[in-house]
Amino acid sequence: MIIVVYLSICLMWSVSLFGNFVSTASPLPSIEAHGPCLLQEVKMADQSLLSESALGWSIFALVFLVILSFCWVYIRKYQSRQESEVISTITAICALAIALITSALLPVDIFLVSYMKHPNGTYKEWAENNETRGQIEDTVLYAYYSLYSLLLFCVFLWIPFVYFYYEEKDDDNINKCSQVKNALKYTIGFIIVCAALLLIGAFVPLEAPPNQNGTQWEKMQYLFEELGNNHGVPALSFSISSLTLIGMLAVITYTAYGMSVLPLNLIKGTRSVVYERLENTEDIEEVEHQMENIKAKCEDGRPLSSRDRRNLQEFEDKLQVLQRRGRHLEIAESHCCTKVGSALRPLKILLGIFFILFALLFVVALFISNLDKALHSAGISSGFMVFGTNLTNPLNELLLTLQPVFPLDYVLITVITMYFVFTSMAGIRNLGIWFFWIRLYKIRPKRTRPQALLFLCMILLLIVLHTSFMIYSLAPQYVMYGSQNYLLQSPMPPENNTTWTTKTCDADAPQDECTVTRSYLFLHKFWFFSTIYYFGNWVFIGVCVGNSKIRLTMFLQKCHRWCNYKCNL
């Protein structure tokens, strides 16, 4: 209920913002009196504003459709054909799509703040007004409010209710009303946790009260005033940041493992169907030979012992399984997908090599970013904020280079997000879903139960949610300011002539000269979350390097044994 109310408020804010934006963006009647030239300039500025905003949002709409299609295909690929349920499928598709759409909003945010300025550091005509700039960025901010509110609704209400509903459905002696009642009973616990996170975030003071010597009532009154001024934004930010901590654990567990497993599996490939048929035929011949040896004992009329009869029955059952497997392999060998997969084998090897290089770039960029924070940050109490660019980060430089040629940076952000999804999926598929030492579910194509599908969706949702923080760790300057520049005034001795130099926007820039993305402002309100992410990044780097070393060693050992086998032939 809290989330629904919050979402309604966000939607009303969006409507009111749109009305204010329309009323302030085109003040034509008051300008007509100043002459046709000024009127024409205003019209050109408005057209530039609308065209550049429309470009960013139209590409976002296209990405929105692609994300929906991807989620539908992806979930349908893994859901069980025997136990598929419409509600669980729709829930998984919608929740994963909302998470991916939220991450797709980041390049739009960066695009809007970057295109407010010329490359020389001056604002464009339509962006010279602070109010106009604020309204444009607030459209992105309210979009974040709506999407993050939907994510809270999915994590704390929708997905738990559907999961417990199907858990109760396994009991045949229960009716529909009891199913819904029991599912709601368990879901109330998640709603209580969500309400607690919202309340904590609402009343955690971001700044110390101005009157430190005031009474407790005055301090509480100050907190309530701050809550009203912030419109509950810190509450939503605190809740989302808390979820990303769970996402960080999932990234360390599954994504770090998948980054080493996925590329090596693509290079190694799967076993050939022809080879499996040959191996299956040899097993059939061996089982038939064993059965003939047992039957030979009764050729002289003596009855078989109970042990031989039991062994003969086991061999007959095994023979039936092998013969059925042989028929399936024969069908698979003649299938067109097998032939296409064999033809695409070189492409898979190239894709595996690309994933290795991308993982190397990813780890190096994250290491440089963390090293920069360790050496040049303002300290743990600031969330390891870095002022200026001290160490060259290759991924940050690449994104800044691509950003002016929109949507190339959008493509790279999409590649990074999809890389997170695919590597995480590879890790989940290989490890399964565990609760400490207990394996709960296996994730297999076309054989995943509805409950496992919801668990998979929840894990991927949290991982994608953590992607926004991870991208900031990889490219902090790009996420905060995009490709903005500003003019710095500096005197030149000995005549003290004033000169203007163009500098790249960073944390040292004046507040009115550089516009910070709303994504950064929303997700980095609490410094202690940034501190936890900093140490979590070091753990992620260690786990990723350790897993890669182990998997590479095992891969080289298998290659060595295969070469020895071929040489012996």
Side-chain angles (χ1 to χ4, degrees):
M1 186 65 184
I2 296 174
I3 303 171
V4 176
V5 172
Y6 197 94
L7 180 59
S8 303
I9 295 173
C10 293
L11 293 176
M12 288 189 292
W13 280 345
S14 302
V15 173
S16 63
L17 171 70
F18 180 76
N20 292 335
F21 175 74
V22 171
S23 62
T24 57
S26 304
L28 296 180
S30 60
I31 294 177
E32 289 178 351
H34 293 80
C37 295
L38 184 58
L39 178 62
Q40 185 177 2
E41 291 179 0
V42 172
K43 288 183 177 180
M44 292 177 61
D46 287 342
Q47 291 175 357
S48 176
L49 166 61
L50 293 174
S51 62
E52 293 177 357
S53 299
L55 176 62
W57 287 109
S58 60
I59 294 179
F60 176 77
L62 178 62
V63 172
F64 174 79
L65 297 177
V66 174
I67 286 173
L68 287 179
S69 303
F70 167 78
C71 292
W72 185 84
V73 173
Y74 204 71
I75 296 299
R76 292 283 294 174
K77 175 185 176 182
Y78 282 94
Q79 73 173 160
S80 174
R81 294 295 180 260
Q82 291 76 26
E83 302 181 67
S84 62
E85 297 287 348
V86 176
I87 298 178
S88 65
T89 303
I90 294 175
T91 301
I93 291 173
C94 292
L96 183 58
I98 292 170
L100 291 173
I101 291 167
T102 304
S103 65
L105 196 59
L106 176 62
V108 176
D109 189 8
I110 297 170
F111 168 79
L112 291 177
V113 299
S114 299
Y115 272 70
M116 290 179 183
K117 284 198 159 191
H118 294 290
N120 61 3
T122 59
Y123 280 107
K124 295 182 179 179
E125 293 181 1
W126 58 266
E128 291 178 352
N129 189 352
N130 290 332
E131 186 177 354
T132 303
R133 294 199 301 269
Q135 289 174 348
I136 293 172
E137 274 298 289
D138 284 343
T139 58
V140 181
L141 184 61
Y142 295 138
Y144 275 121
Y145 291 167
S146 303
L147 290 172
Y148 281 131
S149 299
L150 286 174
L151 284 177
L152 287 183
F153 174 77
C154 291
V155 171
F156 290 105
L157 183 59
W158 192 3
I159 296 178
F161 174 77
V162 176
Y163 175 83
F164 290 119
Y165 178 82
Y166 284 108
E167 280 291 304
E168 294 295 325
K169 191 176 182 180
D170 292 339
D171 190 354
D172 297 332
N173 300 323
I174 192 170
N175 55 31
K176 294 287 185 181
C177 293
S178 299
Q179 275 182 253
V180 174
K181 186 191 300 183
N182 292 336
L184 285 174
K185 180 175 64 177
Y186 295 124
T187 308
I188 288 174
F190 286 85
I191 297 176
I192 293 173
V193 172
C194 179
L197 291 176
L198 290 173
L199 290 175
I200 293 172
F203 292 103
V204 168
L206 296 177
E207 297 179 358
N211 186 9
Q212 294 289 343
N213 298 323
T215 62
Q216 293 297 325
W217 170 250
E218 291 176 345
K219 293 180 180 179
M220 287 295 297
Q221 188 177 9
Y222 170 77
L223 291 177
F224 278 102
E225 290 176 356
E226 284 294 306
L227 177 62
N229 295 332
N230 294 325
H231 306 289
V233 174
L236 183 59
S237 177
F238 184 86
S239 303
I240 294 297
S241 300
S242 300
L243 288 180
T244 56
L245 293 183
I246 306 175
M248 183 183 69
L249 297 178
V251 166
I252 294 172
T253 304
Y254 292 112
T255 309
Y257 181 77
M259 286 175 66
S260 59
V261 170
L262 180 61
L264 294 180
N265 285 347
L266 287 172
I267 296 174
K268 182 177 64 176
T270 56
R271 300 179 68 183
S272 171
V273 177
V274 177
Y275 179 79
E276 289 190 13
R277 279 195 66 194
L278 179 62
E279 191 179 58
N280 190 74
T281 303
E282 293 176 352
D283 292 339
I284 291 175
E285 293 176 354
E286 183 180 354
V287 170
E288 290 177 344
H289 179 69
Q290 295 288 345
M291 292 173 63
E292 290 175 358
N293 290 338
I294 295 175
K295 291 178 180 179
K297 295 180 181 180
C298 63
E299 288 181 353
D300 54 358
R302 289 182 302 173
L304 291 174
S305 64
S306 59
R307 179 180 179 183
D308 288 335
R309 288 197 302 270
R310 187 170 59 253
N311 290 337
L312 182 62
Q313 183 63 38
E314 291 178 358
F315 282 126
E316 288 177 352
D317 295 340
K318 186 176 181 180
L319 180 62
Q320 291 179 0
V321 173
L322 291 173
Q323 288 174 344
R324 185 165 59 250
R325 183 169 182 265
R327 290 192 296 269
H328 291 164
L329 289 174
E330 185 178 358
I331 295 173
E333 185 179 1
S334 60
H335 202 275
C336 61
C337 293
T338 305
K339 298 178 181 179
V340 173
S342 301
L344 295 178
R345 181 80 186 108
L347 183 62
K348 290 182 179 180
I349 295 175
L350 292 177
L351 190 61
I353 296 173
F354 169 78
F355 278 154
I356 290 177
L357 297 177
F358 197 83
L360 184 62
L361 172 65
F362 191 89
V363 173
V364 169
L366 190 60
F367 176 79
I368 292 175
S369 178
N370 262 29
L371 184 63
D372 193 12
K373 291 179 181 179
L375 297 177
H376 307 104
S377 69
I380 191 172
S381 60
S382 66
F384 291 97
M385 175 179 284
V386 178
F387 296 94
T389 304
N390 303 288
L391 300 177
T392 302
N393 188 323
L395 193 56
N396 186 71
E397 296 298 324
L398 179 60
L399 285 167
L400 289 175
T401 303
L402 296 178
Q403 200 281 323
V405 192
F406 190 81
L408 293 183
D409 63 324
Y410 214 140
V411 174
L412 185 54
I413 291 293
T414 304
V415 169
I416 293 174
T417 305
M418 289 294 98
Y419 177 75
F420 261 82
V421 172
F422 288 133
T423 53
S424 303
M425 191 63 233
I428 297 172
R429 190 170 58 248
N430 282 270
L431 294 177
I433 298 175
W434 293 73
F435 181 75
F436 292 102
W437 60 87
I438 302 174
R439 170 174 267 179
L440 298 178
Y441 301 105
K442 290 182 179 179
I443 306 298
R444 294 170 294 180
K446 299 182 181 180
R447 288 186 291 175
T448 305
R449 299 181 59 196
Q451 295 93 324
L453 199 65
L454 293 171
F455 249 108
L456 167 66
C457 172
M458 179 75 83
I459 294 173
L460 289 177
L461 185 151
L462 295 174
I463 288 174
V464 173
L465 195 59
H466 183 68
T467 303
S468 300
F469 291 89
M470 186 67 79
I471 292 176
Y472 169 73
S473 300
L474 292 169
Q477 184 180 353
Y478 168 80
V479 173
M480 286 184 68
Y481 298 103
S483 59
Q484 293 181 83
N485 297 321
Y486 71 99
L487 293 176
L488 179 65
Q489 183 179 5
S490 57
M492 292 290 293
E495 299 179 359
N496 291 329
N497 293 329
T498 301
T499 59
W500 297 89
T501 56
T502 303
K503 293 193 63 177
T504 303
C505 286
D506 53 28
D508 284 331
Q511 187 174 1
D512 57 341
E513 288 293 334
C514 295
T515 305
V516 183
T517 59
R518 291 304 183 260
S519 171
Y520 176 82
L521 293 177
F522 180 78
L523 296 176
H524 295 81
K525 284 187 173 297
F526 301 92
W527 63 268
F528 45 84
F529 284 116
S530 300
T531 303
I532 297 173
Y533 300 143
Y534 167 77
F535 291 108
N537 287 339
W538 284 119
V539 176
F540 173 81
I541 293 172
V543 173
C544 186
V545 172
N547 280 331
S548 300
K549 183 178 179 181
I550 294 172
R551 298 295 301 183
L552 185 60
T553 303
M554 295 172 61
F555 177 74
L556 293 176
Q557 289 176 351
K558 288 182 179 179
C559 291
H560 181 68
R561 287 197 298 268
W562 184 81
C563 291
N564 290 337
Y565 173 75
K566 288 293 184 180
C567 292
N568 293 332
L569 292 178

